[in-house]
Amino acid sequence: MEVKKHKIATIFAGALLALGTANLTNAEENTSSSSSQEEGISFSANLGMVSDYRFRGISQKDRNPAIQGGLDLDFGNGFYVGTWASQVDFAYGFDETDYEQDFYGGFSSDINDFISYDVGYIYYAYHGSDQDEDYWEVYGNLSISDLTLGVAYSPDYWAQSDEFYYTFAEYSFSLPADLSLDLHVGYNIFMERSEFLYEDDDYIDYSVTLSRDFGGLNLSAAYVGTDVSKEECWDTDWCEPTLVVGATYTW
C-alpha cells in the first residue's frame, strides 16, 4: 500500500474513465521525474493500470482491471500537494459509484541520513452514486532506513462507518537485477461496531510486492490479501488473497 494514494482532479479523472470505459498505495507509492521545475518547485504526473485496485487489502473494482493516474506538486521545501484518481466498482446493486478521486497535502522531511517523516491530510471523494461515501483522514509515517511505520485516522470512515484507525509496517529490500521486494502488513481498527463488516471490528491486510523500474515505467506484481472471510466480506471474494499486476508510467 503506498501511503500516498493520491488522485487527480475531476477533468483528468474523466479523461481516465474515457480511456478505460468510455487504483495501487498505500495509497504510499514510483520512479518520478520532473516535467516542469521553477525555483525549487517540481511537478510530476503518472498514469497506469492494475489488474485489480486493492485498498487496504479489499478490492475496489469487483476484482477487475482499473485505470489510475495522478498529479503531484512538490514545493521544494518539504510541503507537497497532489491528487489521484481510479476507476472503482462496488457492484452491490444500488451503488453506481464510477470512480474515486482523492486530494492530499502534507509535509515530509529528513531528520538525518537514516530517518525521515511524512505527515498530511487526504480527502477521498466518490462519484456516480447517491450514497454518501466520502471521508477524510490524517496520516503520519516514520521511515528508518528501509523500514516504514505509519498510522492514519478518520473520524468517520467510508460510508459513515464511524471512527477508524489504520496502522501499518512496511520493509523494502533491494534485490539483484534492479528488482525491489516490498513487504506490507496493516491493521484496520473500527472503534464502533459498524456495517462495514458484519461482525468483526478489525482486520489485517498484507501484501508482498516485486517490482522493477525501466526509466519512467514501473512494472509490479503483488500478492495481496486480508484475514476477512467471504461471509464477512459482504459474501464476495473482494477480501480473498489474489495476485495483482500493474504498470505505471511517471513523467
Side-chain angles (χ1 to χ4, degrees):
M1 158 186 176
E2 301 164 333
V3 169
K4 299 177 182 176
K5 271 207 127 166
H6 312 327
K7 299 156 193 183
I8 61 177
T10 304
I11 295 176
F12 187 56
L16 290 179
L17 293 173
L19 287 173
T21 60
N23 45 355
L24 58 209
T25 32
N26 201 302
E28 335 68 19
E29 306 152 12
N30 300 330
T31 304
S32 64
S33 60
S34 172
S35 60
S36 67
Q37 187 164 348
E38 181 178 328
E39 299 179 353
I41 297 177
S42 61
F43 168 81
S44 66
N46 62 83
L47 180 65
M49 175 176 284
V50 289
S51 59
D52 184 11
Y53 170 24
R54 290 273 174 143
F55 181 62
R56 293 172 182 164
I58 299 177
S59 176
Q60 311 290 288
K61 191 61 169 59
D62 196 23
R63 296 191 61 143
N64 290 307
I67 293 177
Q68 306 174 329
L71 303 172
D72 291 280
L73 184 63
D74 187 335
F75 293 97
N77 57 3
F79 289 98
Y80 61 86
V81 294
T83 184
W84 182 89
S86 176
Q87 295 173 296
V88 298
D89 181 6
F90 298 131
Y92 48 77
F94 58 86
D95 191 292
E96 299 178 351
T97 303
D98 297 315
Y99 68 97
E100 176 188 344
Q101 175 187 2
D102 300 350
F103 304 92
Y104 69 92
F107 180 84
S108 63
S109 181
D110 296 331
I111 296 176
N112 54 41
D113 291 340
F114 303 99
I115 303 175
S116 62
Y117 66 91
D118 179 17
V119 294
Y121 168 95
I122 182 167
Y123 185 86
Y124 299 82
Y126 297 86
H127 302 277
S129 172
D130 293 333
Q131 306 301 311
D132 184 6
E133 297 166 329
D134 294 6
Y135 67 98
W136 60 266
E137 290 181 342
V138 291
Y139 60 85
N141 309 317
L142 178 68
S143 296
I144 305 170
S145 188
D146 295 325
L147 172 67
T148 299
L149 304 174
V151 62
Y153 166 76
S154 175
D156 195 8
Y157 197 50
W158 180 81
Q160 298 180 325
S161 49
D162 297 322
E163 201 172 7
F164 171 82
Y165 287 89
Y166 184 68
T167 62
F168 73 90
E170 295 177 341
Y171 196 87
S172 298
F173 297 89
S174 295
L175 302 179
D178 296 324
L179 292 168
S180 296
L181 179 66
D182 299 298
L183 308 179
H184 164 91
V185 62
Y187 186 37
N188 301 257
I189 308 166
F190 298 88
M191 300 305 293
E192 300 289 340
R193 187 63 59 87
S194 70
E195 294 183 359
F196 186 88
L197 299 174
Y198 291 142
E199 295 180 2
D200 293 339
D201 54 10
D202 58 16
Y203 76 93
I204 293 171
D205 71 87
Y206 55 86
S207 65
V208 179
T209 305
L210 187 66
S211 63
R212 192 183 191 282
D213 290 325
F214 298 87
L217 176 66
N218 178 272
L219 301 180
S220 64
Y223 184 72
V224 185
T226 74
D227 67 346
V228 181
S229 68
K230 182 175 182 178
E231 291 72 23
E232 279 295 293
C233 194
W234 311 286
D235 287 321
T236 72
D237 54 3
W238 297 351
C239 304
E240 296 296 311
T242 191
L243 178 66
V244 176
V245 296
T248 301
Y249 189 78
T250 302
W251 66 94

